[in-house]
């Protein structure tokens, strides 16, 4: 019954529990005794799943438990899945953006926008093009552009993602973010993208300035 002792025990389970007993922590997340236990249970379950040799199997357990949970608990499961990462978690978050509940949509789109792996690129691009709400489209596109800007990848992949982002962008603000990426990673493909963007009257000045920077850095004429 002592809260701190109970919290310590839950934390210890996160560091020691085996796959077959994950349901113990899943149940704690779904039905914490009190508000103070919520964060402890969430952190313990995330830590336990991250330790598992088969994270995808652990993810499947969480997804199964989440299906019958109320919206606030579903949102917490989504937060845990984002900590775990991996293909199953990414797919679940992508589906959750299309959930009927606006709270779930908002949580899932936020977590996807913060995803720390280039594998999220196709999911974010799809949402940037097809999400029902413009807010989620913008959030997804900015997350996609962040991946292009921050993560290591081959030059041709970065250029391809920049072109996809420019094509998907509906607002000038996001197009300018892509131009910033183009200027940061100069090569012949990026120069071509900048010159193409300069055909847009709203981007002409910024795109030509970026094109000049890229040309100078690459020695292009």
């Amino acid at each position: 019954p002592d809260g701190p002792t109970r919290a310590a025990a839950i934390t210890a389970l996160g560091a020691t529990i085996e796959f077959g007993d994950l349901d113990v922590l899943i149940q704690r997340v779904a039905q914490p005794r009190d508000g103070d236990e919520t964060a402890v249970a969430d952190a313990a379950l995330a830590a336990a799943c991250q330790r598992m040799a088969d994270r995808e199997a652990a993810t499947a357990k969480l997804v199964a438990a989440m299906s019958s949970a109320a919206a606030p608990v579903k949102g917490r499961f989504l937060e845990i899945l984002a900590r775990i990462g991996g293909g199953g978690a990414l797919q679940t978050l992508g589906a959750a953006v299309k959930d009927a509940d606006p709270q779930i949509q908002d949580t899932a789109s936020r977590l996807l926008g913060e995803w720390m792996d280039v594998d999220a690129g196709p999911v974010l691009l799809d949402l940037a093009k097809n999400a029902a709400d413009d807010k989620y489209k913008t959030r997804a596109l900015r997350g996609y552009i962040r991946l292009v800007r921050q993560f290591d990848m081959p030059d041709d992949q970065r250029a391809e993602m920049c072109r996809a982002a420019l094509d998907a962008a509906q607002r000038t603000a996001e197009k300018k973010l892509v131009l910033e990426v183009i200027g940061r990673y100069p090569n012949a493909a990026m120069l071509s993208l900048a010159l193409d963007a300069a055909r847009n009257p709203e981007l002409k000045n910024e795109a030509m300035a970026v094109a000049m920077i890229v040309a100078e850095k690459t020695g292009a004429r």
Side-chain angles (χ1 to χ4, degrees):
D2 179 66
T5 302
R6 192 168 63 250
I10 293 170
T11 299
L13 284 174
T16 60
I17 204 166
E18 299 295 336
F19 177 80
D21 295 318
L22 273 179
D23 289 341
V24 174
L25 287 176
I26 289 173
Q27 184 64 23
R28 281 290 178 175
V29 168
Q31 296 179 329
R33 277 202 186 181
D34 53 50
D36 292 339
E37 191 173 290
T38 298
V40 175
D42 292 359
L45 180 56
C49 291
Q50 287 169 333
R51 287 192 298 103
M52 296 298 144
D54 189 345
R55 288 193 184 185
E56 293 301 325
T59 293
K61 275 182 173 281
L62 269 64
V63 173
M66 187 179 72
S67 63
S68 58
V73 178
K74 276 187 178 179
R76 288 172 47 224
F77 273 118
L78 291 174
E79 297 270 4
I80 294 168
L81 288 170
R83 293 194 207 181
I84 299 168
L90 183 59
Q91 182 180 1
T92 301
L93 286 168
V97 177
K98 302 170 186 176
D99 193 276
D101 190 308
Q103 180 181 346
I104 298 300
Q105 293 176 15
D106 188 71
T107 298
S109 66
R110 172 178 58 79
L111 293 170
L112 283 171
E114 299 167 353
W115 200 265
M116 297 299 290
D117 192 307
V118 177
D119 288 346
V123 176
L124 288 168
L125 184 60
D126 177 66
L127 292 174
K129 293 178 178 178
N130 302 313
D133 192 306
D134 284 344
K135 178 177 81 170
Y136 301 145
K137 285 183 176 180
T138 299
R139 184 180 284 175
L141 183 58
R142 284 181 172 255
Y144 185 82
I145 295 168
R146 180 182 59 81
L147 295 179
V148 184
R149 181 176 62 246
Q150 293 184 0
F151 289 87
D152 290 335
M153 64 185 72
D155 288 346
D156 57 347
Q157 180 182 1
R158 197 183 309 277
E160 181 181 344
M161 290 180 71
C162 282
R163 185 175 294 281
L166 284 171
D167 290 343
Q170 298 178 348
R171 307 191 318 165
T172 301
E174 281 69 51
K175 292 178 181 179
K176 289 183 178 181
L177 289 177
V178 180
L179 287 175
E180 179 188 338
V181 177
I182 291 172
R184 184 178 294 193
Y185 298 97
N187 56 52
M190 291 299 205
L191 177 57
S192 177
L193 283 175
L195 292 174
D196 287 346
R199 297 173 184 172
N200 182 334
E202 295 179 343
L203 297 175
K204 182 177 180 180
N205 292 337
E206 290 88 346
M208 287 305 301
V210 169
M212 290 177 66
I213 292 172
V214 173
E216 181 178 351
K217 289 181 178 180
T218 59
R221 294 289 185 269

